[in-house]
Amino acid sequence: MPYKNITLQSENNITLVTINRPDKLNALNIETIDELHRAFLETENDQNCKVIILTGSGNKAFVAGADISEFYKFTVEQGKQLSADGHTKLFNLIEDLSKPVIAAINGFALGGGLELAMSCHIRVASNNAKMGLPEVSLGVIPGYGGTQRLPQLVGKGKAMEMIFTAQMITAQDALNCKLVNYVTSSEELLNQCKEIATQICKNSPTAISAAVRSINAGFAGNNGLNTEIEEFGKCFGTADFKEGTLAFLEKRKPQFTGC
Ligand code: COA
């Protein structure tokens, strides 16, 4: 089924996913979440895709949050379902994807928009980006993982300040508190993301997916060190491991197959 609210472009093993509702500042309505769910499953199964870059269309917003017009009349049960569905369909899916996802934050990343960026593995922001979790100013809390992922990235104190004040921070502030990895000009944003992606593409996809599982296990409280031992051991059974070590010994560049 074709997409209405997002676009996908693939080149050099990198898939660019763009959320395309610029007139609504790319706000995440349920239809867009469903499309992103399908798109990320598609990239996960695409043998040619090694890294995904996620961005928003236009020069104003990455994503200005969940679509307020859709949920303002929801009941307690519907609110709970909205959050649960979002976690399963999109935010956890991205975090646990076996391929690295880089958020190219090209403007406002607010509420669900910042939560979406935080579910990605790496974040790069343009210097005009503004980030925040303004939910308490609407009488609600972050419901797409923000109360958990923001403290992981910036620490509990800074996360509490950002959530309680509902204020936006600048890209430079986000860099200072480690919410983003890099800040660039708007013009350079996608290039910088592609440079990181290109570097990742040189490495073993099987090892990278094992690293994702191992790192995430620790943050999920699932005994990360035990997961590391298991995943480390499994690497020895892969063709990528044989190729990577042999290429080193033969003083040549490895040709990884992701097997
Ligand atoms: N949900 C639904 N629609 C949204 C939206 C959201 N989260 N964020 C922006 N929009 C819509 C606006 O309603 C407006 O639509 P309209 O032209 O049909 O009225 C359009 O996007 C442009 O937004 P606008 O507010 O006019 O732009 P601005 O430059 O004046 O302000 C923001 C930009 C980001 C400061 C402002 O849009 C905003 O505060 N958005 C909500 C942020 C938020 O609280 N997110 C968390 C949601 S849980």
Side-chain angles (χ1 to χ4, degrees), residues 23-25 27 60 64-69 71 108 110-111 134-135 138 168:
D23 53 326
K24 295 290 175 195
L25 302 187
K60 203 168 162 186
D67 194 320
I68 300 167
S69 68
F71 66 70
F108 290 114
L110 301 174
E135 284 88 345
L138 299 167
M168 297 182 209

mmCIF file of all heavy atoms in Angstrom, residues 23-25 27 60 64-69 71 108 110-111 134-135 138 168, ligand 1:
data_model
loop_
_atom_site.group_PDB
_atom_site.id
_atom_site.type_symbol
_atom_site.label_atom_id
_atom_site.label_comp_id
_atom_site.label_asym_id
_atom_site.label_seq_id
_atom_site.Cartn_x
_atom_site.Cartn_y
_atom_site.Cartn_z
ATOM 1 N N ASP A 23 2.201 21.264 6.570
ATOM 2 C CA ASP A 23 1.199 22.257 6.986
ATOM 3 C C ASP A 23 0.740 22.026 8.426
ATOM 4 O O ASP A 23 0.188 22.924 9.058
ATOM 5 C CB ASP A 23 0.003 22.253 6.016
ATOM 6 C CG ASP A 23 -0.584 20.870 5.840
ATOM 7 O OD1 ASP A 23 0.194 19.882 5.873
ATOM 8 O OD2 ASP A 23 -1.812 20.750 5.691
ATOM 9 N N LYS A 24 0.973 20.836 8.969
ATOM 10 C CA LYS A 24 0.663 20.542 10.379
ATOM 11 C C LYS A 24 1.965 20.336 11.167
ATOM 12 O O LYS A 24 1.985 19.655 12.197
ATOM 13 C CB LYS A 24 -0.213 19.290 10.496
ATOM 14 C CG LYS A 24 -1.592 19.451 9.867
ATOM 15 C CD LYS A 24 -2.445 20.411 10.681
ATOM 16 C CE LYS A 24 -3.790 20.671 9.997
ATOM 17 N NZ LYS A 24 -4.493 21.844 10.567
ATOM 18 N N LEU A 25 3.029 20.912 10.666
ATOM 19 C CA LEU A 25 4.360 20.772 11.282
ATOM 20 C C LEU A 25 4.695 19.314 11.565
ATOM 21 O O LEU A 25 5.310 18.979 12.575
ATOM 22 C CB LEU A 25 4.463 21.636 12.543
ATOM 23 C CG LEU A 25 4.200 23.147 12.346
ATOM 24 C CD1 LEU A 25 4.491 23.912 13.639
ATOM 25 C CD2 LEU A 25 5.032 23.718 11.220
ATOM 26 N N ALA A 27 2.952 16.906 12.537
ATOM 27 C CA ALA A 27 2.361 16.314 13.754
ATOM 28 C C ALA A 27 1.984 14.860 13.483
ATOM 29 O O ALA A 27 1.505 14.503 12.404
ATOM 30 C CB ALA A 27 1.141 17.106 14.194
ATOM 31 N N LYS A 60 10.799 23.911 8.996
ATOM 32 C CA LYS A 60 10.340 24.432 10.286
ATOM 33 C C LYS A 60 10.288 23.371 11.376
ATOM 34 O O LYS A 60 10.540 23.673 12.537
ATOM 35 C CB LYS A 60 8.948 25.034 10.070
ATOM 36 C CG LYS A 60 8.583 26.056 11.093
ATOM 37 C CD LYS A 60 7.346 26.831 10.698
ATOM 38 C CE LYS A 60 6.771 27.508 11.923
ATOM 39 N NZ LYS A 60 5.507 28.170 11.668
ATOM 40 N N ALA A 64 6.135 18.328 15.366
ATOM 41 C CA ALA A 64 5.691 19.223 16.459
ATOM 42 C C ALA A 64 4.819 18.503 17.479
ATOM 43 O O ALA A 64 4.068 19.149 18.208
ATOM 44 C CB ALA A 64 4.967 20.437 15.887
ATOM 45 N N GLY A 65 4.901 17.181 17.502
ATOM 46 C CA GLY A 65 4.199 16.438 18.553
ATOM 47 C C GLY A 65 3.145 15.508 18.020
ATOM 48 O O GLY A 65 2.917 15.425 16.808
ATOM 49 N N ALA A 66 2.496 14.815 18.950
ATOM 50 C CA ALA A 66 1.331 14.017 18.576
ATOM 51 C C ALA A 66 0.253 14.991 18.123
ATOM 52 O O ALA A 66 0.245 16.157 18.545
ATOM 53 C CB ALA A 66 0.859 13.209 19.780
ATOM 54 N N ASP A 67 -0.652 14.538 17.277
ATOM 55 C CA ASP A 67 -1.684 15.425 16.726
ATOM 56 C C ASP A 67 -2.754 15.686 17.790
ATOM 57 O O ASP A 67 -3.601 14.837 18.067
ATOM 58 C CB ASP A 67 -2.294 14.792 15.466
ATOM 59 C CG ASP A 67 -3.106 15.808 14.685
ATOM 60 O OD1 ASP A 67 -3.824 16.614 15.321
ATOM 61 O OD2 ASP A 67 -3.031 15.807 13.443
ATOM 62 N N ILE A 68 -2.685 16.897 18.357
ATOM 63 C CA ILE A 68 -3.574 17.247 19.474
ATOM 64 C C ILE A 68 -5.037 17.193 19.044
ATOM 65 O O ILE A 68 -5.914 16.797 19.819
ATOM 66 C CB ILE A 68 -3.209 18.652 20.026
ATOM 67 C CG1 ILE A 68 -1.761 18.652 20.527
ATOM 68 C CG2 ILE A 68 -4.153 19.081 21.149
ATOM 69 C CD1 ILE A 68 -1.168 20.031 20.798
ATOM 70 N N SER A 69 -5.309 17.562 17.785
ATOM 71 C CA SER A 69 -6.708 17.598 17.323
ATOM 72 C C SER A 69 -7.342 16.211 17.337
ATOM 73 O O SER A 69 -8.559 16.078 17.391
ATOM 74 C CB SER A 69 -6.775 18.184 15.906
ATOM 75 O OG SER A 69 -6.174 17.293 14.988
ATOM 76 N N PHE A 71 -6.681 13.700 19.687
ATOM 77 C CA PHE A 71 -6.888 13.022 20.983
ATOM 78 C C PHE A 71 -7.541 13.879 22.064
ATOM 79 O O PHE A 71 -7.776 13.399 23.162
ATOM 80 C CB PHE A 71 -5.564 12.413 21.488
ATOM 81 C CG PHE A 71 -4.476 13.395 21.845
ATOM 82 C CD1 PHE A 71 -4.577 14.208 22.958
ATOM 83 C CD2 PHE A 71 -3.320 13.485 21.069
ATOM 84 C CE1 PHE A 71 -3.570 15.101 23.298
ATOM 85 C CE2 PHE A 71 -2.301 14.385 21.397
ATOM 86 C CZ PHE A 71 -2.437 15.193 22.514
ATOM 87 N N PHE A 108 11.405 22.157 14.948
ATOM 88 C CA PHE A 108 10.748 21.784 16.200
ATOM 89 C C PHE A 108 10.697 20.255 16.366
ATOM 90 O O PHE A 108 10.278 19.532 15.449
ATOM 91 C CB PHE A 108 9.293 22.276 16.221
ATOM 92 C CG PHE A 108 9.152 23.768 16.344
ATOM 93 C CD1 PHE A 108 8.621 24.519 15.301
ATOM 94 C CD2 PHE A 108 9.532 24.423 17.507
ATOM 95 C CE1 PHE A 108 8.475 25.898 15.413
ATOM 96 C CE2 PHE A 108 9.394 25.804 17.626
ATOM 97 C CZ PHE A 108 8.873 26.540 16.574
ATOM 98 N N LEU A 110 8.974 18.427 19.319
ATOM 99 C CA LEU A 110 8.232 18.674 20.564
ATOM 100 C C LEU A 110 7.364 17.472 20.898
ATOM 101 O O LEU A 110 6.841 16.806 19.993
ATOM 102 C CB LEU A 110 7.338 19.904 20.391
ATOM 103 C CG LEU A 110 8.073 21.202 20.029
ATOM 104 C CD1 LEU A 110 7.074 22.315 19.751
ATOM 105 C CD2 LEU A 110 9.038 21.605 21.130
ATOM 106 N N GLY A 111 7.177 17.227 22.177
ATOM 107 C CA GLY A 111 6.293 16.142 22.595
ATOM 108 C C GLY A 111 6.643 14.847 21.888
ATOM 109 O O GLY A 111 7.798 14.397 21.911
ATOM 110 N N PRO A 134 6.402 19.477 25.982
ATOM 111 C CA PRO A 134 5.462 20.456 26.551
ATOM 112 C C PRO A 134 4.160 19.855 27.087
ATOM 113 O O PRO A 134 3.213 20.584 27.398
ATOM 114 C CB PRO A 134 5.166 21.358 25.345
ATOM 115 C CG PRO A 134 5.314 20.474 24.162
ATOM 116 C CD PRO A 134 6.328 19.416 24.521
ATOM 117 N N GLU A 135 4.102 18.521 27.214
ATOM 118 C CA GLU A 135 2.828 17.866 27.535
ATOM 119 C C GLU A 135 2.138 18.391 28.785
ATOM 120 O O GLU A 135 0.923 18.534 28.818
ATOM 121 C CB GLU A 135 3.031 16.338 27.664
ATOM 122 C CG GLU A 135 3.182 15.614 26.336
ATOM 123 C CD GLU A 135 4.628 15.563 25.834
ATOM 124 O OE1 GLU A 135 5.472 16.323 26.355
ATOM 125 O OE2 GLU A 135 4.893 14.786 24.914
ATOM 126 N N LEU A 138 -0.342 20.932 28.562
ATOM 127 C CA LEU A 138 -1.639 20.518 28.000
ATOM 128 C C LEU A 138 -2.426 19.672 29.014
ATOM 129 O O LEU A 138 -3.499 19.156 28.697
ATOM 130 C CB LEU A 138 -1.421 19.680 26.726
ATOM 131 C CG LEU A 138 -0.708 20.345 25.549
ATOM 132 C CD1 LEU A 138 -0.308 19.300 24.516
ATOM 133 C CD2 LEU A 138 -1.586 21.406 24.907
ATOM 134 N N MET A 168 10.995 24.768 25.833
ATOM 135 C CA MET A 168 11.846 24.257 24.749
ATOM 136 C C MET A 168 13.295 24.619 25.044
ATOM 137 O O MET A 168 13.557 25.644 25.674
ATOM 138 C CB MET A 168 11.492 24.943 23.431
ATOM 139 C CG MET A 168 10.096 24.694 22.954
ATOM 140 S SD MET A 168 9.918 25.531 21.358
ATOM 141 C CE MET A 168 8.169 25.894 21.383
HETATM 142 N N1 COA B 1 -1.001 18.773 16.774
HETATM 143 C C1 COA B 1 -1.851 19.197 15.844
HETATM 144 N N2 COA B 1 -1.615 20.244 15.040
HETATM 145 C C2 COA B 1 -0.451 20.905 15.204
HETATM 146 C C3 COA B 1 0.495 20.515 16.171
HETATM 147 C C4 COA B 1 0.188 19.395 16.983
HETATM 148 N N3 COA B 1 1.025 18.932 17.897
HETATM 149 N N4 COA B 1 1.544 21.355 16.104
HETATM 150 C C5 COA B 1 1.268 22.231 15.132
HETATM 151 N N5 COA B 1 0.073 21.966 14.587
HETATM 152 C C6 COA B 1 -0.609 22.674 13.496
HETATM 153 C C7 COA B 1 -1.276 23.957 13.987
HETATM 154 O O1 COA B 1 -2.530 23.697 14.567
HETATM 155 C C8 COA B 1 -1.369 24.724 12.699
HETATM 156 O O2 COA B 1 -2.432 24.220 11.931
HETATM 157 P P1 COA B 1 -3.498 25.231 11.221
HETATM 158 O O3 COA B 1 -2.646 26.031 10.272
HETATM 159 O O4 COA B 1 -4.465 24.319 10.549
HETATM 160 O O5 COA B 1 -4.051 26.059 12.329
HETATM 161 C C9 COA B 1 -0.075 24.340 11.966
HETATM 162 O O6 COA B 1 0.334 23.112 12.537
HETATM 163 C C10 COA B 1 1.030 25.344 12.115
HETATM 164 O O7 COA B 1 1.256 25.552 13.491
HETATM 165 P P2 COA B 1 1.274 26.988 14.178
HETATM 166 O O8 COA B 1 0.964 26.798 15.636
HETATM 167 O O9 COA B 1 0.414 27.940 13.424
HETATM 168 O O10 COA B 1 2.804 27.389 13.978
HETATM 169 P P3 COA B 1 3.658 28.395 14.865
HETATM 170 O O11 COA B 1 4.920 28.627 14.120
HETATM 171 O O12 COA B 1 2.861 29.571 15.273
HETATM 172 O O13 COA B 1 4.003 27.590 16.217
HETATM 173 C C11 COA B 1 4.667 25.633 17.482
HETATM 174 C C12 COA B 1 4.822 26.442 16.161
HETATM 175 C C13 COA B 1 5.446 24.339 17.299
HETATM 176 C C14 COA B 1 5.284 26.457 18.636
HETATM 177 C C15 COA B 1 3.182 25.364 17.770
HETATM 178 O O14 COA B 1 2.586 24.814 16.601
HETATM 179 C C16 COA B 1 2.921 24.412 18.909
HETATM 180 O O15 COA B 1 3.068 24.791 20.069
HETATM 181 N N6 COA B 1 2.513 23.153 18.596
HETATM 182 C C17 COA B 1 2.135 22.172 19.583
HETATM 183 C C18 COA B 1 3.349 21.625 20.284
HETATM 184 C C19 COA B 1 2.932 20.638 21.349
HETATM 185 O O16 COA B 1 2.356 20.988 22.352
HETATM 186 N N7 COA B 1 3.269 19.374 21.107
HETATM 187 C C20 COA B 1 3.006 18.324 22.047
HETATM 188 C C21 COA B 1 1.762 17.607 21.714
HETATM 189 S S1 COA B 1 1.481 16.297 22.846
#
